[in-house]
mmCIF file of all heavy atoms in Angstrom:
data_model
loop_
_atom_site.group_PDB
_atom_site.id
_atom_site.type_symbol
_atom_site.label_atom_id
_atom_site.label_comp_id
_atom_site.label_asym_id
_atom_site.label_seq_id
_atom_site.Cartn_x
_atom_site.Cartn_y
_atom_site.Cartn_z
ATOM 1 N N PRO B 230 -46.885 4.188 68.519
ATOM 2 C CA PRO B 230 -46.434 2.733 68.446
ATOM 3 C C PRO B 230 -47.230 1.919 69.542
ATOM 4 O O PRO B 230 -46.722 1.808 70.555
ATOM 5 C CB PRO B 230 -44.906 2.807 68.691
ATOM 6 C CG PRO B 230 -44.710 3.984 69.466
ATOM 7 C CD PRO B 230 -45.795 4.961 69.179
ATOM 8 N N TRP B 231 -48.303 1.354 69.095
ATOM 9 C CA TRP B 231 -49.136 0.650 69.988
ATOM 10 C C TRP B 231 -48.454 -0.559 70.665
ATOM 11 O O TRP B 231 -48.660 -0.806 71.866
ATOM 12 C CB TRP B 231 -50.474 0.151 69.321
ATOM 13 C CG TRP B 231 -51.282 1.357 68.901
ATOM 14 C CD1 TRP B 231 -51.465 1.851 67.640
ATOM 15 C CD2 TRP B 231 -52.115 2.097 69.734
ATOM 16 N NE1 TRP B 231 -52.247 2.909 67.676
ATOM 17 C CE2 TRP B 231 -52.704 3.036 68.986
ATOM 18 C CE3 TRP B 231 -52.411 2.095 71.144
ATOM 19 C CZ2 TRP B 231 -53.595 4.092 69.475
ATOM 20 C CZ3 TRP B 231 -53.197 3.041 71.625
ATOM 21 C CH2 TRP B 231 -53.839 4.004 70.769
ATOM 22 N N THR B 232 -47.591 -1.246 69.932
ATOM 23 C CA THR B 232 -46.930 -2.391 70.530
ATOM 24 C C THR B 232 -45.970 -1.896 71.714
ATOM 25 O O THR B 232 -45.990 -2.421 72.790
ATOM 26 C CB THR B 232 -46.064 -3.100 69.388
ATOM 27 O OG1 THR B 232 -46.920 -3.418 68.337
ATOM 28 C CG2 THR B 232 -45.474 -4.416 70.017
ATOM 29 N N SER B 233 -45.259 -0.777 71.353
ATOM 30 C CA SER B 233 -44.370 -0.338 72.365
ATOM 31 C C SER B 233 -45.173 0.199 73.564
ATOM 32 O O SER B 233 -44.758 -0.021 74.746
ATOM 33 C CB SER B 233 -43.513 0.805 71.865
ATOM 34 O OG SER B 233 -42.660 0.363 70.830
ATOM 35 N N LEU B 234 -46.233 0.848 73.250
ATOM 36 C CA LEU B 234 -47.143 1.301 74.373
ATOM 37 C C LEU B 234 -47.659 0.146 75.248
ATOM 38 O O LEU B 234 -47.587 0.262 76.533
ATOM 39 C CB LEU B 234 -48.327 2.121 73.811
ATOM 40 C CG LEU B 234 -49.136 2.933 74.757
ATOM 41 C CD1 LEU B 234 -48.329 4.153 75.333
ATOM 42 C CD2 LEU B 234 -50.420 3.484 74.189
ATOM 43 N N GLY B 235 -47.999 -0.882 74.615
ATOM 44 C CA GLY B 235 -48.547 -2.024 75.354
ATOM 45 C C GLY B 235 -47.450 -2.694 76.188
ATOM 46 O O GLY B 235 -47.635 -2.996 77.322
ATOM 47 N N ILE B 236 -46.199 -2.717 75.624
ATOM 48 C CA ILE B 236 -45.041 -3.266 76.395
ATOM 49 C C ILE B 236 -44.781 -2.417 77.540
ATOM 50 O O ILE B 236 -44.527 -2.925 78.684
ATOM 51 C CB ILE B 236 -43.854 -3.437 75.416
ATOM 52 C CG1 ILE B 236 -44.093 -4.563 74.356
ATOM 53 C CG2 ILE B 236 -42.595 -3.740 76.220
ATOM 54 C CD1 ILE B 236 -43.082 -4.686 73.305
ATOM 55 N N VAL B 237 -44.763 -1.098 77.394
ATOM 56 C CA VAL B 237 -44.443 -0.207 78.542
ATOM 57 C C VAL B 237 -45.547 -0.267 79.637
ATOM 58 O O VAL B 237 -45.144 -0.345 80.805
ATOM 59 C CB VAL B 237 -44.217 1.238 78.075
ATOM 60 C CG1 VAL B 237 -43.946 2.172 79.243
ATOM 61 C CG2 VAL B 237 -43.091 1.317 77.105
ATOM 62 N N ILE B 238 -46.749 -0.347 79.211
ATOM 63 C CA ILE B 238 -47.809 -0.509 80.171
ATOM 64 C C ILE B 238 -47.716 -1.802 80.959
ATOM 65 O O ILE B 238 -47.922 -1.850 82.148
ATOM 66 C CB ILE B 238 -49.235 -0.360 79.513
ATOM 67 C CG1 ILE B 238 -49.463 1.127 79.073
ATOM 68 C CG2 ILE B 238 -50.400 -0.749 80.422
ATOM 69 C CD1 ILE B 238 -50.695 1.333 78.173
ATOM 70 N N ALA B 239 -47.437 -2.915 80.232
ATOM 71 C CA ALA B 239 -47.249 -4.210 80.803
ATOM 72 C C ALA B 239 -46.078 -4.182 81.801
ATOM 73 O O ALA B 239 -46.134 -4.687 82.905
ATOM 74 C CB ALA B 239 -47.028 -5.300 79.763
ATOM 75 N N MET B 240 -45.030 -3.530 81.458
ATOM 76 C CA MET B 240 -43.856 -3.371 82.287
ATOM 77 C C MET B 240 -44.168 -2.566 83.607
ATOM 78 O O MET B 240 -43.689 -2.912 84.660
ATOM 79 C CB MET B 240 -42.542 -2.754 81.586
ATOM 80 C CG MET B 240 -41.968 -3.615 80.633
ATOM 81 S SD MET B 240 -40.382 -2.999 80.007
ATOM 82 C CE MET B 240 -40.749 -1.543 79.127
ATOM 83 N N THR B 241 -44.972 -1.551 83.362
ATOM 84 C CA THR B 241 -45.376 -0.713 84.508
ATOM 85 C C THR B 241 -46.187 -1.588 85.467
ATOM 86 O O THR B 241 -46.015 -1.461 86.688
ATOM 87 C CB THR B 241 -46.207 0.567 84.012
ATOM 88 O OG1 THR B 241 -45.391 1.177 83.129
ATOM 89 C CG2 THR B 241 -46.554 1.443 85.140
ATOM 90 N N GLY B 242 -47.139 -2.321 84.961
ATOM 91 C CA GLY B 242 -47.913 -3.271 85.828
ATOM 92 C C GLY B 242 -47.116 -4.309 86.471
ATOM 93 O O GLY B 242 -47.281 -4.506 87.662
ATOM 94 N N LEU B 243 -46.105 -4.775 85.786
ATOM 95 C CA LEU B 243 -45.210 -5.779 86.382
ATOM 96 C C LEU B 243 -44.412 -5.108 87.561
ATOM 97 O O LEU B 243 -44.280 -5.763 88.684
ATOM 98 C CB LEU B 243 -44.217 -6.332 85.357
ATOM 99 C CG LEU B 243 -43.205 -7.378 85.867
ATOM 100 C CD1 LEU B 243 -43.983 -8.659 86.369
ATOM 101 C CD2 LEU B 243 -42.242 -7.707 84.751
ATOM 102 N N MET B 244 -43.983 -3.905 87.285
ATOM 103 C CA MET B 244 -43.127 -3.198 88.297
ATOM 104 C C MET B 244 -44.012 -2.865 89.496
ATOM 105 O O MET B 244 -43.600 -2.865 90.695
ATOM 106 C CB MET B 244 -42.524 -1.992 87.762
ATOM 107 C CG MET B 244 -41.333 -2.283 86.846
ATOM 108 S SD MET B 244 -40.329 -0.900 86.405
ATOM 109 C CE MET B 244 -41.532 0.100 85.552
ATOM 110 N N ALA B 245 -45.246 -2.612 89.280
ATOM 111 C CA ALA B 245 -46.208 -2.305 90.401
ATOM 112 C C ALA B 245 -46.420 -3.531 91.223
ATOM 113 O O ALA B 245 -46.332 -3.500 92.486
ATOM 114 C CB ALA B 245 -47.571 -1.848 89.842
ATOM 115 N N VAL B 246 -46.473 -4.717 90.621
ATOM 116 C CA VAL B 246 -46.639 -6.025 91.312
ATOM 117 C C VAL B 246 -45.374 -6.248 92.151
ATOM 118 O O VAL B 246 -45.439 -6.620 93.336
ATOM 119 C CB VAL B 246 -46.970 -7.108 90.402
ATOM 120 C CG1 VAL B 246 -46.813 -8.425 91.142
ATOM 121 C CG2 VAL B 246 -48.289 -6.907 89.782
ATOM 122 N N LEU B 247 -44.181 -5.986 91.518
ATOM 123 C CA LEU B 247 -42.981 -6.147 92.216
ATOM 124 C C LEU B 247 -42.817 -5.199 93.343
ATOM 125 O O LEU B 247 -42.290 -5.498 94.422
ATOM 126 C CB LEU B 247 -41.733 -6.041 91.272
ATOM 127 C CG LEU B 247 -41.543 -7.084 90.212
ATOM 128 C CD1 LEU B 247 -40.483 -6.707 89.211
ATOM 129 C CD2 LEU B 247 -41.242 -8.424 90.855
ATOM 130 N N GLY B 248 -43.315 -3.999 93.154
ATOM 131 C CA GLY B 248 -43.404 -2.983 94.185
ATOM 132 C C GLY B 248 -44.152 -3.435 95.419
ATOM 133 O O GLY B 248 -43.726 -3.237 96.572
ATOM 134 N N ILE B 249 -45.284 -4.141 95.203
ATOM 135 C CA ILE B 249 -45.955 -4.725 96.358
ATOM 136 C C ILE B 249 -45.204 -5.781 97.078
ATOM 137 O O ILE B 249 -45.110 -5.762 98.301
ATOM 138 C CB ILE B 249 -47.334 -5.385 95.824
ATOM 139 C CG1 ILE B 249 -48.232 -4.357 95.173
ATOM 140 C CG2 ILE B 249 -48.110 -6.048 96.955
ATOM 141 C CD1 ILE B 249 -49.452 -5.040 94.380
#
Side-chain angles (χ1 to χ4, degrees):
Chain B
W231 291 103
T232 308
S233 293
L234 192 68
I236 289 170
V237 177
I238 290 172
M240 286 193 296
T241 305
L243 178 65
M244 288 191 299
V246 172
L247 290 173
I249 298 169

